[in-house]
Every structure is written in C-alpha cells, then in structure tokens.
Amino acid sequence: MTDLLLVELAWQLDRLRWVPTPTLDRIVRRDGLCFWRSGEAEPPEPSGMELPDRELASAFCAGCPVLDECLELELRSGGEQTLGIWGGMCEDDRRELHRFWLQRGDRAGRRGGEA
C-alpha cells in the first residue's frame, strides 16, 4: 500500500481513538462477520486457490460492518507484532499502517498506542 493510503486510513481510524478497548472488543465480537464470532458457523473452507495475503484478507472480511473497529482493536493490541487477518488487512499492510497510526492524535505520546 502507498504511504498516502496508509495516512488516509490512519486519519479515518482517528475517530475511534477515544473508544475504550473493551468496548471495541465487544463491538467486533458482536457485529463482526469473522469465523470466531461466538456461537456462529465455522470459518469458510479454503477455495483451493492460492491468493496473495492482501487479496485473501480483503475477501475474508468482505461485507463486514466493523472493519474499522476491528482494525483499531488489532493495532492497539497487536501493534507491530500483529498477526493474521484483522480489519480486512494482511499483516504486512497493518505493520506499515501501525507507524502512521501511532502518529495520530494523542497516540503520538504513548508507547505502542495502547488505549
């Protein structure tokens, strides 16, 4: 992803910076379409096609109503060590986003962006 897109995404997530982490967690678990949603169906079966991580993340999270909340939650909790698919983004893209995300608002003064 380009730096400009990452900066725009960091700005977009800035609206969530005051939402407490436990609240974000509840929202993502309640409204997220991902496979670990409590009591819901199993994860989708692999299609047999090898997709690049970015395309896989996008396809896996397509239509989810809480992408931003999920992404914000993982940036707070996973930080630079983020793993898996969160917020429709692959690990590499989130790691790049993390440095821009840290520069936003009051996060700039906090180590790791914890809320």
Side-chain angles (χ1 to χ4, degrees):
M1 295 185 87
T2 68
D3 284 358
L4 182 57
L5 287 174
L6 294 169
V7 168
E8 287 177 19
L9 187 50
W11 274 86
Q12 180 177 318
L13 293 175
D14 202 37
R15 68 183 174 78
L16 297 169
R17 72 179 182 194
W18 300 113
V19 178
T21 300
T23 301
L24 283 174
D25 185 62
R26 280 192 305 277
I27 290 168
V28 171
R29 288 181 185 274
R30 182 191 67 212
D31 300 334
L33 298 180
C34 51
F35 72 90
W36 54 269
R37 188 172 165 189
S38 62
E40 295 295 322
E42 293 297 313
E45 290 296 319
S47 65
M49 298 184 326
E50 292 291 325
L51 294 175
D53 290 346
R54 186 176 289 147
E55 289 179 35
L56 179 63
S58 179
F60 193 80
C61 297
C64 184
V66 292
L67 287 176
D68 287 351
E69 291 82 354
C70 182
L71 187 54
E72 175 74 18
L73 180 63
E74 177 59 10
L75 289 170
R76 288 182 190 182
S77 59
E80 292 175 354
Q81 306 305 315
T82 184
L83 297 171
I85 296 173
W86 293 85
M89 293 182 78
C90 66
E91 297 168 3
D92 291 339
D93 288 345
R94 278 195 321 279
R95 288 182 187 131
E96 286 183 49
L97 171 62
H98 187 257
R99 65 188 170 102
F100 294 105
W101 177 82
L102 281 176
Q103 296 171 10
R104 297 293 310 128
D106 68 321
R107 294 183 188 108
R110 290 187 281 166
R111 186 173 170 247
E114 294 91 10

